[in-house]
Amino acid sequence: MAERNDTMPGPGSGEAEENAGDEHVPTTEGHTPEGTPLVLLQVNCRSICNKILEFWNLMDTYNPDVVIGTESWLSEEINNAEVFRDDYIIFRRDRSSRGGGVFIGVKNYIDCREIWADEDFEILAIEIKGRNPNATWEIVGTYRAPNEDMGVLERLAARTGSTGNCTKRSIVGGDLNLPSVDWKGNAGGYSGTQSLVNSLVYENGYSQVVHGATRGDALLDVFLVRPESSVTYSGIVQGISDHQAVILEVQWKDTYSKSQVERMVPVYNKTDIIGLQTFLRDKYEAWSSNGKSVEEIWYNFKNIVYESLEQFVPHKKIRKNSDPEYYNKEIKRLKTKVRKVYNKRKLGEPYTEKLKHLSKQLLAAKKSAQEAFLKTILRKEGNCWSDFYKYVRRRKGSRENIPSIKDSNGRIVTDAKDKANTFNTYYSTVFSSQGTTPHTQSRNTGEPFKSDSKIIRRRVKALGKNKSAGPDRISGDILKLGGEAMISYLARLLDTTMNNGALPEDWKRATVIPVHKGGDRSLVANYRPVSLTSVVCKQMEHVIASYLRQAWDKNDWLFEGQHGFRPGYSCESQVISICQDIADSLDSGENIDAIIVDFSKAFDLVPHGRLLTKIANSGVDPRVVTWVKEFLSGRTQRVRVEEQLSEEVRVTSGVPQGSVLGPLLFLAYVNDIWRNMESTIRLFADDCVIYRKITKTEDMDILQKDLDRLGEWAEENEMEINPSKSKAIRFTRARANDPLKYSLRGKQIPQTSSCKYLGIFLRSDLSWVDQVNYTVKKAWKALHFTMRMLKKANSNTRSLAYRSLVRPILEYGTACWDPYREGQIRALDRVQSKAASFAHNRKNPNWETLTSRRELSRICALFKAYSGDRAWKPIGDRLKRPHYLSRVDHERKIRSRKQRTDIGKYSFLNRTIQLWNKLPAEVFENLPSNQITFKRRVRKVITKRN
């Protein structure tokens, strides 16, 4: 093996490194200069989740380009953001059971991709490459348990020599637990194991380059390198388990770089607000009287905003920092000292000892800083919530982080720019044709559109901080800080666009962020496109949307079975209405057949022409139709991945997801889906269910005819239905039933005994075992994440974490599925009991029980139906006054319903009516018009009772 020359620079060496401070890249320019070696660190973890600080300390000390970890003990529920720094790209091969596992991390400025992962053994192979062909390496990470057979060696030999020659530059690193073999590759071989080692090392051209023991007096952790001449240094360093870690440096000689991007960002909390608002008022008169076109008026407005940002809002320079929130000046100072000493360690033993000493100091400083940080978050209730949620979001990982993906040809895409273009190509292929030119003659019978600055004022006031700006680079913060002076500009812009029937081009541009929605993260189809559009335009959209809702509510135009994106309508009102229909039918001995219909890319396929025709015929002001037409026509979009933008493409169909108007426009488009239907159809946006009570064979025929009509509607309206992803289910008390043979567009719909609708699992017998099991599993996963993340946090922080991250999972939709079986109730309670023990080190803190919270949720849901809320009309119509009232009854008593079975007895209505009737009369005194007051009264009663 070639020993490293004393002048050979180490990881992040040279003068640049001495001045690097807290940087985590080899030089301050953020690139690997020509001649710098590729640095690899191999570390045995034995549960990395329990040694995150120690692992990060190794990374800060040696700053490797590639890290190979063995015995990671990771599982699918542990995401990368919990464990690894975000300046590394992580590849994992977890073991299906506890223990084992291997991962490879690569600095994000190096081009890398996964080559293969073995299905039988813990072996993972990646490729890293630069612009120079000689800078391409195959890197294989592997782990073999002590009692495991030698198939790992056979598989390694076969896969690493599969190219037909052994000239490919390759590194195999891992813990193979073979302390007694001859790694020099003795051609003769003295045992079966040695023969396999010979096959791997001798025949494939590898050299084992680690010299010395890595655990006790045994060599277990190895680096096999091909060719050996590429090695410039190897050494054994302190690890994080009972194994030592191993450093390896090989020739790299690449000019591949990823420059650090520094950005100047406004510091809005230090804005000169008085100066800003005075400036805006002084500019308003001249601006409002100038401009010949909408585009020119908008251009002048942008310039005023940009000028105000420059004059009255301080700016600071930032760059992406992978350090945790708790890193302080002392940690950064020690990091710099550690790096300097690391670069001098070859000068003698004193520097090696000093490096160990400083590394321990650095680790101690990190532990102290992390503990102090976690104990100060929410030290007092209601304080520093933003710090807590920032910490949580970083550990959960952003859904926008996109690993390597596959393009339409199956090619692995790793470059951010290429990823963006791949997504943009996919998203643009789902657009439908432009459609026919709309007939915009409106049958308006309501009030004409009037600009309402009150809505603009209310929406601007409600704008959150640090919301992403659209392509025009105008943020919500500057609109909010502008106060009344800014409202005048926005109201004037709305009047101008409405009266001229034109919108600025900036309002039609969108930056699309792919957000993972589930499934394989390498498939572009599993990412939802969310559009970042102009914040200014969104304020206009709020006014238009408010007018449309008022106009449609006035003429009852919107379909009452549509519960999506409508004030007062919700998933809860939808699912409870459906489940009550099912419960009533099953209780009376009748069956219900239901079809959950899957629409494919529904929001992206809406043809603009047909949509505008429907809106024009909905009874609204023609000027609004023209405004919406301009809003939809001529739109363009670009996909952004890691600050890289794709090429711009035209949007020929669909409504932008992420806009204010988009969801409402979609409701308008599907609003006529129910016409000519004899069965019950309900929608939540594009989530559609159609069902019918089956009392005779003719009912099944009617349901099939309705499905045929639905298919015809989809074809006529250029919507796509996916029959294979749709589900047919029969709700029944019978144990055996004939198979369902419903079809959509000529294809049979798969039958199921349990289906998920709006996040709730509906079983054929309307029991909640599947829903409870799913909820408990998901809640335990969230609780374990919380416990890993906040081991050293104070009680307030742990309690808040449970209330914000775990309890919402336990309570989603419980007004509908509140279980009554003891086993299911105990399964839910065990999660809260464990959380209480974690948060307060005792099992019975002063928390509301989950049972009482579910009761409160059901009573509040019934209150909406009792109060005549339109969304709850299917439930409200079932509420009847009793035939008589006794002296102990309150005047708001509801007639009890007689039920024959447990399904009816424990349905939403029956259980909740009993609770409602038992409430004391004072709860109903001067029956409050708002739910908050009523909920407060009921909570007092339930708390006192329990």
Side-chain angles (χ1 to χ4, degrees):
M1 185 194 76
E3 283 293 336
R4 178 180 171 181
N5 189 292
D6 288 349
T7 61
M8 180 66 70
S13 61
E15 293 181 1
E17 178 59 30
E18 295 190 15
N19 300 320
D22 61 328
E23 291 302 304
H24 293 270
V25 292
T27 69
T28 54
E29 289 79 17
H31 68 272
T32 304
E34 186 172 2
T36 297
L38 183 73
V39 182
L40 297 93
L41 173 68
Q42 183 191 156
V43 56
N44 178 283
C45 303
R46 288 191 64 80
S47 181
I48 192 172
C49 285
N50 295 324
K51 303 183 179 75
I52 294 176
L53 274 181
E54 291 81 356
F55 176 73
W56 281 40
N57 200 54
L58 277 184
M59 308 298 280
D60 283 338
T61 301
Y62 303 108
N63 194 32
D65 299 303
V66 179
V67 58
I68 300 174
T70 57
E71 288 199 86
S72 58
W73 294 17
L74 293 175
S75 60
E76 184 180 350
E77 69 177 23
I78 301 173
N79 62 66
N80 290 336
E82 285 187 57
V83 179
F84 302 104
R85 297 175 62 94
D86 59 12
D87 55 348
Y88 281 83
I89 300 170
I90 304 298
F91 304 90
R92 287 164 49 175
R93 167 61 169 87
D94 301 335
R95 183 180 288 187
S96 57
S97 57
R98 187 176 184 275
V102 63
F103 65 83
I104 303 176
V106 183
K107 270 291 183 70
N108 58 12
Y109 57 79
I110 297 176
D111 188 8
C112 57
R113 67 183 182 92
E114 182 178 311
I115 306 175
W116 52 272
D118 198 273
E119 296 182 357
D120 302 317
F121 302 103
E122 288 159 68
I123 312 174
L124 177 65
I126 70 166
E127 180 182 74
I128 65 171
K129 62 181 180 179
R131 297 168 186 172
N132 185 337
N134 293 327
T136 299
W137 281 92
E138 174 192 60
I139 298 178
V140 182
T142 183
Y143 172 71
R144 174 191 164 273
N147 58 349
E148 192 174 355
D149 64 35
M150 296 301 162
V152 173
L153 299 180
E154 291 182 295
R155 191 62 52 86
L156 281 172
R159 298 299 293 262
T160 58
S162 62
T163 57
N165 60 66
C166 295
T167 60
K168 186 176 182 180
R169 296 159 67 89
S170 179
I171 299 172
V172 177
D175 177 8
L176 290 173
N177 281 295
L178 297 172
S180 304
V181 302
D182 179 5
W183 285 105
K184 293 182 180 179
N186 188 320
Y190 300 106
S191 66
T193 300
Q194 185 64 54
S195 297
L196 292 173
V197 170
N198 294 347
S199 175
L200 173 61
V201 179
Y202 184 78
E203 297 178 12
N204 282 357
Y206 283 109
S207 298
Q208 202 291 112
V209 297
V210 179
H211 298 284
T214 59
R215 191 185 72 174
D217 58 356
L219 172 61
L220 302 182
D221 307 88
V222 298
F223 267 125
L224 310 179
V225 184
R226 182 178 67 209
E228 183 183 7
S229 60
S230 63
V231 178
T232 60
Y233 175 80
S234 71
I236 297 174
V237 298
Q238 183 65 41
I240 62 174
S241 68
D242 57 348
H243 290 239
Q244 299 285 79
V246 184
I247 286 283
L248 174 68
E249 297 177 10
V250 296
Q251 295 170 359
W252 182 232
K253 294 183 180 179
D254 186 47
T255 57
Y256 181 88
S257 65
K258 179 178 179 180
S259 300
Q260 283 193 350
V261 179
E262 295 181 341
R263 295 188 298 135
M264 294 296 296
V265 297
V267 186
Y268 289 108
N269 61 344
K270 296 184 178 180
T271 300
D272 177 5
I273 298 177
I274 296 176
L276 169 66
Q277 295 181 357
T278 301
F279 173 82
L280 292 174
R281 282 192 291 267
D282 292 343
K283 291 281 187 179
Y284 178 76
E285 186 174 348
W287 171 78
S288 62
S289 58
N290 291 328
K292 298 180 180 179
S293 65
V294 169
E295 200 66 45
E296 184 179 355
I297 294 170
W298 168 248
Y299 178 79
N300 293 337
F301 170 76
K302 280 201 305 181
N303 286 339
I304 291 173
V305 174
Y306 295 158
E307 187 177 349
S308 67
L309 278 168
E310 193 68 29
Q311 289 190 31
F312 304 104
V313 182
H315 287 65
K316 68 177 181 180
K317 185 184 296 184
I318 67 166
R319 55 191 173 190
K320 187 175 182 180
N321 189 355
S322 299
D323 288 340
E325 298 82 354
Y326 53 83
Y327 272 28
N328 53 32
K329 291 182 179 179
E330 175 65 11
I331 293 175
K332 295 174 182 178
R333 183 186 66 83
L334 286 171
K335 278 176 58 180
T336 303
K337 292 182 69 174
V338 165
R339 297 284 181 81
K340 290 179 179 179
V341 175
Y342 175 81
N343 293 329
K344 296 178 180 179
R345 72 196 187 287
K346 291 285 289 183
L347 298 178
E349 183 65 23
Y351 286 99
T352 303
E353 291 301 317
K354 187 175 182 180
L355 178 63
K356 291 181 181 178
H357 177 70
L358 285 174
S359 182
K360 289 181 180 179
Q361 276 190 310
L362 179 59
L363 178 59
K366 289 179 181 178
K367 288 182 177 180
S368 177
Q370 184 193 50
E371 187 170 350
F373 173 80
L374 291 175
K375 285 186 176 180
T376 54
I377 296 180
L378 292 181
R379 176 174 291 169
K380 295 181 179 180
E381 193 73 26
N383 185 32
C384 301
W385 282 43
S386 61
D387 291 339
F388 169 75
Y389 286 116
K390 181 180 179 182
Y391 181 78
V392 169
R393 283 195 298 269
R394 191 162 184 174
R395 294 302 171 271
K396 292 184 74 173
S398 172
R399 291 189 299 170
E400 298 176 16
N401 291 339
I402 299 173
S404 300
I405 60 173
K406 298 176 183 177
D407 64 11
S408 57
N409 298 319
R411 182 177 65 91
I412 302 295
V413 180
T414 57
D415 180 72
K417 182 82 172 181
D418 292 341
K419 289 180 187 176
N421 283 315
T422 301
F423 277 109
N424 209 29
T425 300
Y426 171 74
Y427 291 146
S428 61
T429 57
V430 301
F431 296 146
S432 65
S433 61
Q434 186 69 280
T436 58
T437 303
H439 174 67
T440 57
Q441 181 66 37
S442 175
R443 302 178 305 179
N444 182 27
T445 57
E447 293 293 324
F449 174 82
K450 293 180 181 179
S451 178
D452 191 348
S453 59
K454 292 181 181 179
I455 298 176
I456 297 177
R457 184 178 294 106
R458 185 169 64 249
R459 297 310 310 180
V460 170
K461 186 178 180 180
L463 280 170
K465 293 182 178 180
N466 303 320
K467 292 296 184 182
S468 299
D472 57 14
R473 298 180 291 113
I474 297 177
S475 70
D477 296 85
I478 194 65
L479 300 184
K480 199 167 186 175
L481 292 170
E484 283 299 315
M486 185 64 77
I487 300 300
S488 301
Y489 284 88
L490 298 180
R492 174 69 174 168
L493 279 171
L494 178 58
D495 288 338
T496 302
T497 56
M498 186 63 67
N499 294 332
N500 287 273
L503 273 65
E505 290 301 313
D506 281 341
W507 294 11
K508 303 180 182 183
R509 296 191 178 101
T511 300
V512 174
I513 308 298
V515 176
H516 185 241
K517 59 184 180 180
D520 188 349
R521 295 182 67 94
S522 68
L523 300 180
V524 294
N526 290 334
Y527 289 80
R528 178 183 295 107
V530 176
S531 300
L532 298 181
T533 56
S534 169
V535 177
V536 176
C537 182
K538 285 183 177 180
Q539 311 317 305
M540 313 297 116
E541 292 177 61
H542 277 296
V543 181
I544 302 297
S546 177
Y547 166 79
L548 289 175
R549 289 193 182 98
Q550 289 179 7
W552 292 341
D553 285 346
K554 189 172 183 179
N555 59 19
D556 288 327
W557 186 72
L558 282 178
F559 171 45
E560 277 302 308
Q562 172 65 265
H563 284 229
F565 306 113
R566 301 176 65 184
Y569 294 76
S570 64
C571 293
E572 184 181 63
S573 61
Q574 180 78 298
V575 177
I576 286 179
S577 298
I578 293 172
C579 289
Q580 195 61 54
D581 286 347
I582 297 171
D584 288 347
S585 295
L586 296 187
D587 188 74
S588 61
E590 298 167 327
N591 300 333
I592 280 188
D593 285 358
I595 312 296
I596 310 295
V597 181
D598 181 81
F599 284 96
S600 301
K601 306 296 179 185
F603 279 75
D604 298 318
L605 291 173
V606 175
H608 296 161
R610 191 179 297 276
L611 167 62
L612 290 166
T613 300
K614 293 183 179 184
I615 295 175
N617 293 326
S618 67
V620 297
D621 193 319
R623 293 186 304 158
V624 173
V625 180
T626 302
W627 198 98
V628 173
K629 177 183 178 182
E630 285 297 311
F631 175 76
L632 294 173
S633 62
R635 297 194 69 87
T636 60
Q637 71 178 35
R638 305 172 77 180
V639 175
R640 188 179 75 195
V641 176
E642 298 174 18
E643 306 304 325
Q644 296 293 319
L645 291 171
S646 69
E647 301 297 325
E648 193 170 64
V649 298
R650 285 184 60 82
V651 179
T652 59
S653 69
V655 292
Q657 298 184 58
S659 66
V660 175
L661 263 181
L664 190 60
L665 297 179
F666 181 81
L667 300 192
Y669 189 71
V670 299
N671 190 58
D672 58 349
I673 194 173
W674 61 276
R675 300 192 188 281
N676 302 319
M677 293 281 186
E678 297 183 57
S679 305
T680 303
I681 183 170
R682 295 187 179 276
L683 300 104
F684 191 94
D686 61 335
D687 289 305
C688 175
V689 58
I690 180 171
Y691 58 94
R692 184 176 183 83
K693 187 184 297 185
I694 306 298
T695 57
K696 52 185 179 297
T697 306
E698 288 77 5
D699 290 318
M700 300 176 65
D701 295 335
I702 292 173
L703 180 55
Q704 179 58 59
K705 289 179 181 178
D706 286 335
L707 290 173
D708 294 338
R709 294 188 187 103
L710 181 62
E712 293 170 1
W713 178 92
E715 184 174 3
E716 179 184 349
N717 288 271
E718 300 183 45
M719 292 279 102
E720 291 185 8
I721 294 178
N722 191 337
S724 62
K725 289 187 177 181
S726 301
K727 301 295 181 184
I729 182 171
R730 169 164 289 173
F731 294 98
T732 179
R733 291 163 50 201
R735 295 186 177 182
N737 288 282
D738 296 331
L740 303 181
K741 296 181 180 180
Y742 296 108
S743 62
L744 263 171
R745 308 192 72 171
K747 296 182 179 179
Q748 186 165 336
I749 302 170
Q751 183 176 353
T752 182
S753 60
S754 177
C755 62
K756 193 176 183 182
Y757 182 69
L758 298 182
I760 305 294
F761 279 92
L762 306 177
R763 277 175 59 106
S764 58
D765 58 357
L766 209 60
S767 69
W768 301 114
V769 59
D770 290 348
Q771 178 64 27
V772 171
N773 291 341
Y774 170 78
T775 300
V776 169
K777 181 179 179 181
K778 189 175 180 180
W780 276 118
K781 180 178 178 180
L783 180 59
H784 288 152
F785 163 76
T786 302
M787 295 170 68
R788 290 192 302 268
M789 180 183 64
L790 298 173
K791 286 181 181 179
K792 299 180 181 179
N794 58 62
S795 293
N796 278 338
T797 306
R798 294 179 177 186
S799 180
L800 172 68
Y802 168 72
R803 296 198 307 270
S804 59
L805 303 178
V806 183
R807 195 166 67 184
I809 297 173
L810 292 169
E811 296 185 340
Y812 174 75
T814 50
C816 173
W817 61 269
D818 184 6
Y820 61 91
R821 296 188 182 278
E822 288 298 323
Q824 297 172 0
I825 294 172
R826 286 196 300 269
L828 295 167
D829 287 342
R830 276 194 291 268
V831 181
Q832 175 155 298
S833 178
K834 182 66 175 180
S837 177
F838 169 69
H840 298 284
N841 296 319
R842 62 180 186 271
K843 293 187 177 180
N844 297 307
N846 190 25
W847 287 356
E848 296 176 278
T849 66
L850 293 177
T851 298
S852 64
R853 290 180 61 85
R854 291 194 295 268
E855 288 180 359
L856 178 63
S857 177
R858 286 194 282 116
I859 292 172
C860 289
L862 187 63
F863 173 79
K864 297 174 187 177
Y866 187 89
S867 301
D869 193 314
R870 290 182 61 178
W872 292 83
K873 189 175 184 301
I875 300 298
D877 288 346
R878 290 177 165 93
L879 304 181
K880 308 294 182 183
R881 288 186 60 81
H883 297 296
Y884 66 93
L885 293 173
S886 68
R887 288 181 295 175
V888 297
D889 291 333
H890 55 73
E891 294 184 356
R892 304 291 180 175
K893 185 177 180 180
I894 301 173
R895 186 191 305 174
S896 298
R897 305 167 80 238
K898 294 182 179 180
Q899 303 294 329
R900 301 166 51 197
T901 66
D902 281 352
I903 295 175
K905 179 180 177 181
Y906 293 106
S907 65
F908 165 79
L909 261 183
N910 281 65
R911 295 183 71 193
T912 313
I913 287 174
Q914 292 179 22
L915 289 173
W916 177 280
N917 291 339
K918 290 179 182 178
L919 292 172
E922 55 265 24
V923 172
F924 301 98
E925 288 180 1
N926 300 319
L927 188 66
S929 58
N930 65 81
Q931 183 186 351
I932 297 176
T933 304
F934 180 77
K935 186 175 183 179
R936 189 183 302 117
R937 293 179 182 178
V938 176
R939 173 174 270 125
K940 288 182 180 179
V941 173
I942 293 178
T943 303
K944 184 177 180 180
R945 185 184 64 200
N946 294 335

